[in-house]
Amino acid sequence: MSAALPTPRTPDPRQAPSLRWGIMGTGWIVDRFVRSVRRHTTQQFVAVSSRDHGRARDLAERFGIPRAYGSYEELAADPQVDVVYVATGHADHLPCARLGIAHGRHVLVEKPLGLNAGQATELAESAAARGVFCAEALWSFFLPRYDVVRQVLRDGLLGDVHTVLADCGEHFAPGHRILRADLAGGPLLDLGTYPLSFSTWVLGDLTTVLAASRPHPAGVHGQVGALLSAGLGRQAVVHTTLFGDTPTTASISGTRGTLTLGGPFYQPGDVLLTRGGGGPALSFAEPRTAHDALCYEAAEVARCIVDGRTQTTLRPLADSIATLRTMDAVRARCAISYPGES
């Protein structure tokens, strides 16, 4: 086994070519995204849109963004927009991304890419037909921390990988959108995307699913646990909950060692490799900068678009679809559905 963990190959976000961004949505994640991208890259934000023009105007004034629109259609039609960041509610990801693609805009769509694998597949096919870039803004996969994991798996440092454990639980105050059934609430599409995407990334399609859920008093599912399996006996155990703050850690175990990502495992942080049978542990240390690292996904999008690529190898659309396919199977086991889902 190597004497050290690999070094991240992640390029400096500030070196990415500058594009003009339009934003659909004005929620919490938009504030973090704009602050991080402005601080660490040369990307330009030129327009923001919301169904509530006042909210779009307020965000534009706060960040000095030139144009504010009261409809998503207006932003999609803006010829000065190169790429659209879709940061609306879950149920609006599909129609908003459709608008952007139909107008020839490149799109970065907040997680999840759609409510289900069918919606995600539609977006992938539409973007391919139009020849535009499309990706899911699942920021974890663009972090230096995840590039260390990527190289560990590529180089076989864990031996034959057989187990993934991943958890993500957080408490939310009453009234939060995640507690609203009409907004496709519950932990699966939000928190659950992280352990499920991590598991399918490492193990591939998880075709056999056992799962159980617990309802939340607000009328959404409040907790889900699942045992997932793929070929050759590989298994993942995943958990997500709204009932409390959990360790939110992840680990990958193989015949030669175990790789551990401390919580929150989906954010910047350390990586630890412990060797099977003993021996000195190997580690990678990264500052815990939380959402200030959202800049990495924006920089990768800009590089891909300027290079003429319509997908990123860091989070291919096939991976996003595979995660939703597994989530669909979990939901089927737990009888979870979302309003307006086709």
Side-chain angles (χ1 to χ4, degrees):
M1 183 178 288
S2 171
L5 287 180
T7 301
R9 302 161 297 180
T10 312
D12 180 354
R14 192 163 292 279
Q15 300 305 313
S18 180
L19 296 180
R20 300 168 299 182
W21 292 69
I23 304 168
M24 293 183 177
T26 58
W28 178 89
I29 194 63
V30 171
D31 183 276
R32 272 72 179 172
F33 183 79
V34 172
R35 291 182 188 277
S36 172
V37 172
R38 281 231 173 120
R39 187 177 295 119
H40 301 292
T41 81
T42 61
Q43 305 305 307
Q44 305 170 57
F45 292 101
V46 299
V48 61
S49 62
S50 171
R51 291 194 183 98
D52 183 334
H53 185 259
R55 288 174 63 90
R57 185 184 61 247
D58 290 347
L59 191 141
E61 290 176 354
R62 187 162 75 249
F63 288 108
I65 297 173
R67 297 184 294 284
Y69 295 117
S71 75
Y72 302 130
E73 172 73 36
E74 289 178 283
L75 185 138
D78 186 339
Q80 299 302 309
V81 170
D82 298 317
V83 54
V84 175
Y85 173 50
V86 178
T88 57
H90 299 318
D92 288 326
H93 287 184
L94 176 65
C96 285
R98 274 176 178 161
L99 277 175
I101 292 169
H103 282 84
R105 311 292 171 231
H106 306 290
V107 292
L108 175 66
V109 186
E110 259 305 331
K111 66 166 181 67
L113 193 59
L115 294 179
N116 52 50
Q119 291 189 0
T121 300
E122 177 189 329
L123 287 183
E125 292 175 348
S126 297
R130 197 68 169 79
V132 298
F133 178 89
C134 180
E136 180 185 28
L138 192 42
W139 64 302
S140 309
F141 292 94
F142 303 90
L143 301 175
R145 183 188 208 184
Y146 269 54
D147 193 56
V148 173
V149 179
R150 189 175 286 112
Q151 293 180 75
V152 167
L153 295 172
R154 180 203 65 189
D155 296 342
L157 299 185
L158 300 180
D160 295 327
V161 172
H162 50 71
T163 306
V164 172
L165 307 176
D167 153 73
C168 190
E170 189 175 343
H171 176 267
F172 292 87
H176 193 279
R177 62 164 181 80
I178 203 171
L179 298 175
R180 291 180 54 178
D182 61 317
L183 298 180
L188 262 182
L189 291 178
D190 276 280
L191 309 180
T193 296
Y194 293 118
L196 283 169
S197 64
F198 188 80
S199 299
T200 54
W201 179 49
V202 174
L203 299 178
D205 268 336
L206 296 162
T207 53
T208 304
V209 174
L210 298 174
S213 65
R214 172 186 172 187
H216 192 281
V220 299
H221 62 284
Q223 177 167 287
V224 177
L227 172 62
L228 315 168
S229 63
L232 304 177
R234 297 169 296 167
Q235 294 184 339
V237 179
V238 301
H239 174 260
T240 185
T241 185
L242 301 180
F243 291 112
D245 298 323
T246 62
T248 309
T249 58
S251 65
I252 307 168
S253 295
T255 53
R256 299 178 63 192
T258 294
L259 199 69
T260 302
L261 282 70
F265 76 88
Y266 60 87
Q267 296 185 12
D270 300 346
V271 180
L272 178 68
L273 193 160
T274 53
R275 304 170 190 259
L282 307 178
S283 63
F284 163 77
E286 181 179 58
R288 294 178 177 271
T289 55
H291 291 86
D292 191 43
L294 286 166
C295 57
Y296 288 106
E297 63 183 3
E300 171 66 7
V301 170
R303 285 190 295 268
C304 289
I305 291 172
V306 171
D307 289 346
R309 290 179 281 154
T310 56
Q311 293 194 44
T312 169
T313 58
L314 302 183
R315 183 63 176 168
L317 292 173
D319 287 5
S320 299
I321 294 168
T323 295
L324 281 165
R325 189 161 50 238
T326 298
M327 189 179 292
D328 290 347
V330 171
R331 290 172 50 207
R333 283 281 185 174
C334 300
I336 296 169
S337 61
Y338 300 119
E341 190 174 20
S342 59

